[in-house]
Amino acid sequence: MRIFIKKSERIGLAVMERENIPEIYAMINDPDVNRFLRNPSSIWYLSGEYEWYDNLCRDANRNRVFPVINLETDQLLGLIGLHNIDFKNGFATVGYMYGKTFWGNGFATEALKLLMDYSFNVLNLRKLIASVFDSNIASKKVLENNGFNIIGKYTKHSYAPDAGYQDEILFEFMNTNYHYPDS
Ligand SMILES: CC(C)(COP(=O)(O)OP(=O)(O)OC[C@H]1O[C@@H](n2cnc3c(N)ncnc32)[C@H](O)[C@@H]1OP(=O)(O)O)[C@@H](O)C(=O)NCCC(=O)NCCS
């Protein structure tokens, strides 16, 4: 049984289960998926993925990662999550990845919309941030489609296999509906 924290008509953000790990393991070891991620030269071992899951369960106040589920087919399309959640200052970093066969269907854009709803209306965060390799056109679009603004870049910051050092573009989204206690 899947438990959802947010749903649209097509997709839902689900609570991660241990049995989701083999699919995630296959996804993250696909070079086309991991080349834009933080440590593209890693090898993600299955046992390491289970450890990551156990840490996620222990550490829900710091990191919350959700499988994105196609509600029609029940397929796990990818993951989206909040990392380094800072409840005191009200912000978190967004991250996501999807299986290659699901790209280009608007799922990533739609899932980020759901995550923003969850972040602002459930967790009462003020701001979301993200950083993306400049060459990752699709990911930049996902953020721009959801109203994120570019606030700067790190030049030749991160190494991507076969592409060399990449500029990293920094994005943020301010929740303008947030009510500051002193205003
Ligand atoms: C980046 C990623 C999340 C996009 O997922 P997706 O489900 O294909 O995204 P969407 O379908 O919502 O598409 C968003 C936009 O990017 C465009 N797009 C998709 N793939 C593209 C590509 N290869 N080149 C250029 N544009 C592309 C879409 O046409 C869409 O544009 P539109 O809104 O103007 O129509 C997915 O490709 C992925 O998981 N990549 C590997 C992991 C990764 O890069 N994670 C992000 C790290 S910051």
Side-chain angles (χ1 to χ4, degrees):
M1 185 186 63
R2 302 221 195 251
I3 308 288
F4 290 99
I5 57 118
K6 280 283 168 192
K7 276 185 189 176
S8 64
E9 281 199 5
R10 284 202 307 167
I11 58 169
L13 308 192
V15 174
M16 178 104 71
E17 298 289 347
R18 228 180 144 70
E19 70 210 33
N20 300 140
I21 291 300
E23 282 170 278
I24 293 163
Y25 164 70
M27 197 179 292
I28 201 164
N29 276 297
D30 178 343
D32 289 334
V33 173
N34 67 40
R35 72 195 177 100
F36 288 125
L37 301 183
R38 184 64 52 198
N39 297 305
S41 54
S42 298
I43 295 174
W44 288 269
Y45 290 99
L46 186 56
S47 61
E49 293 305 292
Y50 281 116
E51 260 174 54
W52 171 76
Y53 173 74
D54 290 339
N55 286 332
L56 207 61
C57 295
R58 273 194 289 270
D59 197 22
N61 276 336
R62 186 111 180 111
N63 297 296
R64 293 189 185 190
V65 180
F66 305 105
V68 179
I69 306 296
N70 181 329
L71 295 177
E72 196 189 335
T73 62
D74 199 45
Q75 279 171 306
L76 189 154
L77 305 169
L79 295 181
I80 188 164
L82 297 171
H83 302 274
N84 298 320
I85 304 169
D86 180 336
F87 281 108
K88 177 168 166 274
N89 294 301
F91 62 82
T93 303
V94 173
Y96 40 78
M97 66 166 185
Y98 294 82
K100 212 164 35 193
T101 50
F102 306 119
W103 293 358
N105 294 297
F107 290 130
T109 296
E110 205 170 317
L112 179 56
K113 188 165 182 242
L114 290 177
L115 187 74
M116 292 166 76
D117 179 9
Y118 175 75
S119 301
F120 300 140
N121 298 318
V122 178
L123 300 186
N124 197 31
L125 297 180
R126 286 184 318 118
K127 182 204 272 211
L128 293 176
I129 60 177
S131 66
V132 178
F133 291 2
D134 199 17
S135 54
N136 195 347
I137 308 294
S139 185
K140 289 193 297 185
K141 277 219 166 152
V142 167
L143 294 163
E144 283 162 356
N145 286 348
N146 279 291
F148 278 65
N149 294 311
I150 294 177
I151 52 155
K153 77 170 177 184
Y154 293 132
T155 308
K156 295 198 180 303
H157 193 63
S158 304
Y159 184 79
D162 303 322
Y165 284 96
Q166 302 286 301
D167 288 351
E168 203 163 318
I169 309 300
L170 309 177
F171 286 85
E172 75 174 11
F173 183 97
M174 292 295 296
N175 173 16
T176 49
N177 292 324
Y178 183 83
H179 294 294
Y180 288 87
D182 52 356
S183 63

